[in-house]
Amino acid sequence: FGFTQSPDESGVCSSEPTQHPDHRYRQTVRLPSTLLDAESIEAVLADLKREYPGTGYDLLRRNCCHFADDFSQRLGVGRIPRWVYRLARIGARIDAVLQGIREPVRLA
């Protein structure tokens, strides 16, 4: 899942494991095998393609790690480890604090 310019274009694409040219991979995380058949997996992917437009990409709050976690859960294999998207989670919290500081205080 990644950013695209067009709101009509899904941010979901496919590549061989560890081979996407825009990413560096630290390690492989092994998850259990899914019990879904190929047709069910295709249906899950079709849903995800609709739900993850490229214009909805957010580096801190809705990135490829969030997509992988959602996909894994829908496959019935559990969540990805929390450490995988820890940096984005911390960044989102810092950004929320900074946004709060930037907002003027309004008195009633």
Side-chain angles (χ1 to χ4, degrees):
F1 172 62
F3 178 76
T4 61
Q5 295 283 343
S6 171
D8 299 326
E9 187 178 356
S10 174
V12 178
C13 65
S14 63
S15 65
E16 291 295 318
T18 73
Q19 299 304 307
H20 194 282
D22 294 339
H23 297 277
R24 287 189 56 212
Y25 298 89
R26 189 170 90 184
Q27 72 183 74
T28 298
V29 176
R30 302 250 180 239
L31 297 173
S33 296
T34 184
L35 298 177
L36 298 180
D37 59 22
E39 186 176 314
S40 298
I41 294 170
E42 287 293 330
V44 167
L45 284 169
D47 289 343
L48 289 168
K49 285 180 180 180
R50 281 190 299 277
E51 295 171 26
Y52 283 82
T55 54
Y57 181 87
D58 182 302
L59 182 62
L60 301 177
R61 293 174 185 84
R62 190 171 172 85
N63 62 36
C64 56
C65 297
H66 297 96
F67 171 83
D69 190 48
D70 191 0
F71 186 31
S72 296
Q73 289 179 70
R74 293 183 197 207
L75 290 175
V77 300
R79 301 190 76 135
I80 64 172
R82 290 180 54 86
W83 63 262
V84 172
Y85 53 97
R86 180 180 301 137
L87 183 60
R89 200 171 50 249
I90 291 168
R93 288 182 184 149
I94 291 169
D95 183 58
V97 168
L98 292 175
Q99 292 299 324
I101 291 170
R102 289 185 198 141
E103 292 293 318
V105 176
R106 296 177 193 210
L107 302 174

